[in-house]
Amino acid sequence: MFQSRIEDNCYNEMFSKGDCIRPLYENVFHYFERLSPQTVGEYYWKAQHMLHNMGVTFTVYQESSSLERTLPFDILPRLISSDDWNVIEQGCLQRVRALNAFLYDIYHNQEILHERIVPRELVVTHQDFCWSLKGLNIPGNQYVTLAGIDIIRDPSGKYVVLEDNLRVPSGISYIFENRRLMERLFPDLCRTYPIRPILPSLSFFGRYLHSLSPRQRAHPTVVLLTPGKYNSAYYDHVFLAQQMGIPLVEGNDLLTMDNQVFMRTVHGLQKVDVIYRRIDDDFLDPLVFRPDSVLGVAGLMSAYRAGNVALANAPGAGVADDKAIYTYVPQMIRYYLNEKPILDNVTTYRLDDPDECAFVLKNINQMVVKKTNGAGGYGMLIGPRATEEEIHAFSTAMMERPKDYIAQPTINFSQHPSFVDGDFEGRHIDLRPFVIGGEVVIPGGLTRVALPKGSLVVNSSQGGGSKDTWVV
């Protein structure tokens, strides 16, 4: 059943050269090899039906419409050795510590800008930089409560960071639902491996949010603020609120009085201490950001500045996950931590540099071009798969506003067998480990799969799937 095991210039997670099974995968390979194609197909469809019945969905936006769909689940798990995971885990923790230090710095003394390690203009003119927060001390100085670090494996097998997600990273719920599916469908297979548990991480997340409360009390009120059921990651919001035992609220469920935030309940108003927000900065407070926003809470930022409510992640954190700022993270690690980066960046070209821009334009058919503030796989050009019209349009836009774009060489990141059309075929995957409070990395994280053959776009918002990830 396992087809097209090895492709040139691409690392295969399950097979080494010569189609030899990597030792870590022997049990998984032999387990599925013993099953008939019909039986595997039945397991696959059972998994999709279970996800549908549980309501595990994601909204895919198209040009003229949107489609709510079940997030495709690949029944063949990804395995990561303990040694590899230690590198990933320590690299992610190091990276988030440096990014958090950067955010504290740019909203206080701006030393990294004074020393010209990061260009001042790149930071202070950024759309997510909040001047109103300069000099403000927040609980524990922790700007990044939850981070998602996107990692790929290059053709040599080395793990490298593709981008950072610090605003409202999504997908954490799928980690837990994927594990639940595997344990229900393949309990015997799960028992053959000492898989590192993931549920303790969810408990830690809940405790960490409670610890951010500005009020010293045994049971602070923590809520999850969602844009509502039409948001693409709404299931993520529902799952986390249920599992952590906190209210799921929309903007009209909250109000402010005397620089304090209150939640409307059947018993009257209840003071809110911590808001885990899944709303972008622009929509948080119509008195400070977009005046037409109906998703946020008027007066929220005044309560935040007064120190009466904590927001996670902190407003203004989006500066640090900008794709141009990403190129400076290795320098941040050396500057703030005095350490060598554990995980390298992918080679990245800043198009505001005339020489680098000229190089990219000359070789654009071999590049991946991204908008610096883009997310979810939107606003991206994959040169080798682009049409002449798309390349021309991007080239024109890059020349008009070069600082709005970065470019990276097209990397054939690693492949993993996935169940597609009755066979296991190689599909490109990435990995998004989630870091909580700069202290805990959820073991394994979320492995995303580019389902169309040859595709490098794994984003759920672009129709990608996922698989369970085992640290063994």
Side-chain angles (χ1 to χ4, degrees):
M1 291 184 65
F2 289 85
Q3 307 293 327
S4 306
R5 298 179 183 176
I6 300 296
E7 290 189 11
D8 293 336
N9 199 32
C10 180
Y11 185 89
N12 191 294
E13 300 283 347
M14 180 178 279
F15 300 101
S16 59
K17 290 184 178 179
D19 281 353
C20 296
I21 308 166
R22 299 188 189 278
L24 192 65
Y25 275 93
E26 286 182 353
N27 288 350
V28 168
F29 175 82
H30 293 301
Y31 181 92
F32 282 96
E33 191 78 341
R34 286 195 297 266
L35 301 178
S36 69
Q38 180 181 355
T39 301
V40 176
E42 289 171 356
Y43 276 122
Y44 172 81
W45 286 112
K46 187 175 182 180
Q48 312 315 312
H49 290 147
M50 289 168 68
L51 285 172
H52 177 77
N53 292 337
M54 290 188 294
V56 184
T57 59
F58 199 97
T59 304
V60 179
Y61 294 103
Q62 299 169 339
E63 287 187 7
S64 58
S65 63
S66 61
L67 173 67
E68 186 176 54
R69 48 168 279 188
T70 301
L71 185 71
F73 175 70
D74 183 18
I75 58 176
L76 192 69
R78 177 190 193 168
L79 277 57
I80 301 176
S81 70
S82 181
D83 288 343
D84 280 353
W85 178 249
N86 287 339
V87 173
I88 294 169
E89 181 180 45
Q90 294 306 312
C92 288
L93 290 171
Q94 179 193 60
R95 198 170 182 93
V96 171
R97 285 198 301 269
L99 287 165
N100 195 77
F102 171 72
L103 286 166
Y104 178 85
D105 187 12
I106 64 174
Y107 287 114
H108 289 80
N109 296 332
Q110 299 188 340
E111 293 173 1
I112 200 169
L113 307 185
H114 293 315
E115 297 190 29
R116 300 183 179 180
I117 295 170
V118 176
R120 173 180 295 276
E121 182 184 2
L122 192 60
V123 173
V124 299
T125 63
H126 195 282
Q127 64 180 13
D128 289 324
F129 185 76
C130 294
W131 281 100
S132 60
L133 300 184
K134 195 170 184 308
L136 179 69
N137 291 317
I138 64 174
N141 295 325
Q142 190 65 40
Y143 289 80
V144 186
T145 299
L146 183 69
I149 309 299
D150 290 349
I151 294 173
I152 62 172
R153 208 168 191 180
D154 69 14
S156 71
K158 178 183 177 182
Y159 292 101
V160 291
V161 177
L162 191 62
E163 60 183 54
D164 307 293
N165 299 276
L166 307 180
R167 281 172 277 191
V168 283
S170 64
I172 189 172
S173 63
Y174 307 128
I175 300 174
F176 299 94
E177 294 294 21
N178 288 352
R179 180 62 50 84
R180 181 160 65 152
L181 274 179
M182 288 300 294
E183 290 175 342
R184 291 175 64 180
L185 290 171
F186 306 104
D188 294 340
L189 177 61
C190 292
R191 283 193 289 267
T192 65
Y193 286 95
I195 306 169
R196 192 172 298 186
I198 57 176
L199 283 177
S201 304
L202 194 55
S203 300
F204 177 81
F205 190 19
R207 294 195 304 272
Y208 189 86
L209 287 172
H210 282 77
S211 75
L212 297 176
S213 173
R215 289 194 296 171
Q216 299 299 315
R217 54 182 305 212
H219 302 289
T221 300
V222 180
V223 301
L224 192 158
L225 177 61
T226 175
K229 64 182 181 179
Y230 296 110
N231 183 264
S232 62
Y234 185 63
Y235 178 80
D236 220 30
H237 311 165
V238 173
F239 174 88
L240 288 171
Q242 288 177 341
Q243 294 300 313
M244 292 190 291
I246 61 177
L248 180 69
V249 299
E250 297 183 22
N252 56 12
D253 296 318
L254 303 177
L255 60 90
T256 60
M257 290 190 301
D258 300 325
N259 285 339
Q260 298 183 82
V261 181
F262 295 88
M263 173 175 58
R264 294 183 172 92
T265 76
V266 294
H267 303 294
L269 297 180
Q270 181 177 345
K271 190 174 185 305
V272 174
D273 300 295
V274 181
I275 299 175
Y276 171 39
R277 52 99 175 200
R278 295 298 296 264
I279 293 178
D280 289 335
D281 287 6
D282 278 353
F283 302 97
L284 270 177
D285 184 343
L287 301 182
V288 176
F289 301 110
R290 285 182 53 162
D292 61 342
S293 171
V294 295
L295 301 177
V297 185
L300 176 59
M301 292 304 293
S302 293
Y304 181 62
R305 285 195 293 263
N308 294 326
V309 68
L311 291 173
N313 289 351
V319 178
D321 75 1
D322 179 273
K323 291 175 176 60
I325 294 290
Y326 153 90
T327 63
Y328 293 96
V329 175
Q331 291 96 310
M332 295 179 198
I333 293 171
R334 295 185 179 94
Y335 181 75
Y336 293 116
L337 308 181
N338 195 27
E339 297 173 359
K340 180 181 177 182
I342 297 171
L343 294 171
D344 291 333
N345 281 8
V346 172
T347 300
T348 304
Y349 302 97
R350 296 190 292 267
L351 303 190
D352 56 350
D353 182 304
D355 292 337
E356 294 193 2
C357 185
F359 176 81
V360 170
L361 287 169
K362 184 179 179 180
N363 299 278
I364 193 168
N365 61 335
Q366 302 170 32
M367 297 285 177
V368 174
V369 182
K370 304 175 183 178
K371 296 198 74 171
T372 55
N373 64 346
Y378 297 102
M380 183 171 69
L381 174 84
I382 301 179
R385 294 168 174 79
T387 65
E388 290 186 9
E389 291 78 11
E390 290 170 333
I391 288 176
H392 176 74
F394 260 80
S395 298
T396 302
M398 289 158 52
M399 289 187 288
E400 290 176 352
R401 297 187 60 84
K403 69 182 183 66
D404 290 350
Y405 295 88
I406 58 96
Q408 297 167 329
T410 304
I411 298 176
N412 281 330
F413 40 91
S414 65
Q415 284 195 344
H416 193 290
S418 297
F419 189 71
V420 181
D421 297 330
D423 279 315
F424 287 109
E425 298 182 356
R427 291 294 186 269
H428 293 292
I429 59 172
D430 80 345
L431 180 67
R432 176 176 286 184
F434 287 90
V435 183
I436 304 171
E439 298 179 25
V440 169
V441 185
I442 301 176
L446 179 66
T447 291
R448 300 182 297 177
V449 186
L451 292 174
K453 189 167 186 175
S455 173
L456 296 172
V457 182
V458 299
N459 303 77
S460 304
S461 53
Q462 299 290 296
S466 71
K467 60 169 70 219
D468 195 13
T469 309
W470 299 355
V471 176
V472 299

